[in-house]
Amino acid sequence: MTITGGKKREKIDRLAELSAREDEQGVSLWKEAFRRLRRNPAAIIGVVILAIFVLVAVVGPFFVPYSPTDSIGIREGLVKSGQGIIPGVSADHWLGFDHQGRDEFSRLIVGARQTLLVGVVSTLIGLAVGALIGGVAGAAAGLGGRWGRWIDTTLMRFIDMLLAMPSLLLAVSIAALLGASLTTVMIAVGVVSVPIFARLLRGSMIAQSNSDYVLAATALGVKRSKIALTHVVPNSIAPVIVQATLTLATAIIEAAALSFLGLGNPDSAIPEWGVMLADAQPYLGIRPGLAIYPALGIIITALGFTLLGEAMREALDPKLRK
C-alpha cells in the first residue's frame, strides 16, 4: 500500500471518528455546527461564491445575449483565426470572441451549467455507490459478528486498492476505456470518489455501533438490520455530507482535467469550461483570455466548495467546539 493511500485513509478515518463524539453540554451537533458556520468568514465567502455560481448556472443561460454556438464573429468578418485576428473585449461582446467567432461571454455562462451538472452528477454517483459499499461494510463490521467481519475485510481491501491509486490516473484510465463523452467524465470522476465515501461511512458506522443506544436496542431484541438502517446510518451521515461538499470541488477540477485531455464531450460546440480551456491552447499567444476566463471560473468555483467544506469540517470537530 502506498504512502499516499495511507494518508488518505487516516484523514477519512479521522473525520469518521469526529462524527461519533457527543457535545459535553448536550447541544445538538448540527445546531452547534450551524451556529459556528454563521460566524465563520470562510463559510460565508464560500456560500456567497456558490450562490452566485448556482444562480449563473441555472438562470444565466436564459439571458445570454448570443447563442453559444453561433459563429457571429466569422459571419460578420470580425474573426480570422487563421490570420491571428480574434477581437477582444468590446461594448457588444463583453469578453470578445473565441477562435470560431462565438461570443465568449455567452459560452462561459452556458458552460457554467455543464460544469455544475458534471460536478453534481459525478458526486452523486460516488456518494450512492460509496455509501452502499460503506454501509454494508460498516453494518457487517459493527453488527455482523464473525461473518460480518469477513465481509467487511473483503470490501475494504477492494476500497484500499482504489485509494492507493492516484485519483486523476484512475479517472483517466476509466475515461479512456469508456470513450470520450460527457457521461464518461461523470462516471470516471464518480468512481474516483467511491472509496472516500465508502471508507468514511464505514468508519463512522463502526464508531456508532458501540454507542449506548445501539446496545439498548440490541438488548430489547431489535433486529440488527433495523438497528443499522434506522439508527446507525442516520447518526453516521454527518461526515459524509461534509465530504460531499469537498468532493464537489475536486470533481469539478478533475472533470475539467479530463475534458482538457480530450476525454470529455467531443462536441466542442457545447460549452464546458474544461473543453474551452483545451480549445484555447493554440491561441494563447493571440488571445490568452480564452484560457484565463474558464480557468478563473474553475478556480473560483472550486474555492467556494472548498471553503464551505473545510468550514463544515471545523464546525463538526469537537476539539474546536466550546
Side-chain angles (χ1 to χ4, degrees):
M1 196 66 64
T2 64
I3 296 177
T4 302
K7 290 183 178 179
K8 285 182 181 179
R9 293 198 306 275
E10 290 175 4
K11 290 181 180 179
I12 295 170
D13 292 344
R14 170 60 178 161
L15 183 56
E17 291 173 5
L18 296 180
S19 68
R21 307 268 183 95
E22 296 290 338
D23 193 304
E24 295 178 357
Q25 297 178 354
V27 180
S28 168
L29 176 68
W30 285 105
K31 287 183 179 179
E32 176 66 16
F34 182 68
R35 185 166 60 191
R36 295 191 65 218
L37 281 175
R38 288 185 300 174
R39 300 173 182 174
N40 191 329
I44 295 173
I45 294 173
V47 169
V48 170
I49 292 174
L50 296 182
I52 295 173
F53 171 61
V54 172
L55 183 65
V56 169
V58 175
V59 181
F62 296 105
F63 298 97
V64 292
Y66 302 95
S67 170
T69 60
D70 186 10
S71 299
I72 184 173
I74 293 179
R75 189 171 63 250
E76 296 180 356
L78 300 175
V79 175
K80 298 177 182 179
S81 56
Q83 302 176 20
I85 302 175
I86 304 179
V89 178
S90 66
D92 295 329
H93 303 275
W94 296 348
L95 298 180
F97 299 97
D98 70 354
H99 64 289
Q100 293 187 13
R102 299 168 297 195
D103 183 69
E104 183 71 6
F105 176 76
S106 299
R107 290 181 61 78
L108 194 68
I109 297 299
V110 176
R113 173 178 290 185
Q114 294 293 319
T115 301
L116 177 64
L117 177 66
V118 172
V120 171
V121 172
S122 60
T123 301
L124 289 177
I125 291 173
L127 176 60
V129 178
L132 177 61
I133 297 175
V136 171
L143 304 170
R146 185 181 65 181
W147 285 105
R149 287 191 292 271
W150 182 84
I151 294 173
D152 170 59
T153 300
T154 303
L155 291 174
M156 284 303 103
R157 294 299 75 78
F158 171 71
I159 293 299
D160 287 344
M161 286 191 295
L162 293 179
L163 276 174
M165 297 182 64
S167 58
L168 185 57
L169 179 60
L170 179 60
V172 169
S173 301
I174 295 172
L177 287 174
L178 297 179
S181 70
L182 193 63
T183 303
T184 294
V185 172
M186 295 177 185
I187 294 174
V189 176
V191 170
V192 168
S193 61
V194 165
I196 299 175
F197 288 117
R199 191 170 183 88
L200 186 57
L201 182 58
R202 177 250 188 191
S204 183
M205 289 183 66
I206 291 176
Q208 290 287 343
S209 64
N210 296 319
S211 300
D212 292 339
Y213 70 86
V214 174
L215 298 177
T218 303
L220 291 172
V222 181
K223 292 183 179 179
R224 292 180 178 181
S225 59
K226 186 175 182 179
I227 294 175
L229 292 174
T230 62
H231 297 288
V232 178
V233 171
N235 286 285
S236 305
I237 206 70
V240 178
I241 295 175
V242 174
Q243 185 59 44
T245 307
L246 293 170
T247 300
L248 274 166
T250 57
I252 289 174
I253 294 173
E254 289 172 352
L258 292 178
S259 297
F260 179 81
L261 294 173
L263 297 172
N265 193 338
D267 185 5
S268 62
I270 300 177
E272 194 272 326
W273 288 351
V275 175
M276 292 172 67
L277 268 176
D279 291 343
Q281 297 311 298
Y283 307 98
L284 286 177
I286 304 172
R287 282 274 283 125
L290 296 179
I292 293 174
Y293 301 141
L296 285 177
I298 294 170
I299 293 170
I300 294 173
T301 303
L303 176 64
F305 281 115
T306 301
L307 289 175
L308 179 59
E310 290 295 339
M312 291 176 64
R313 190 199 300 272
E314 292 177 2
L316 290 169
D317 192 337
K319 292 185 176 180
L320 300 177
R321 298 167 66 197
K322 296 181 181 180

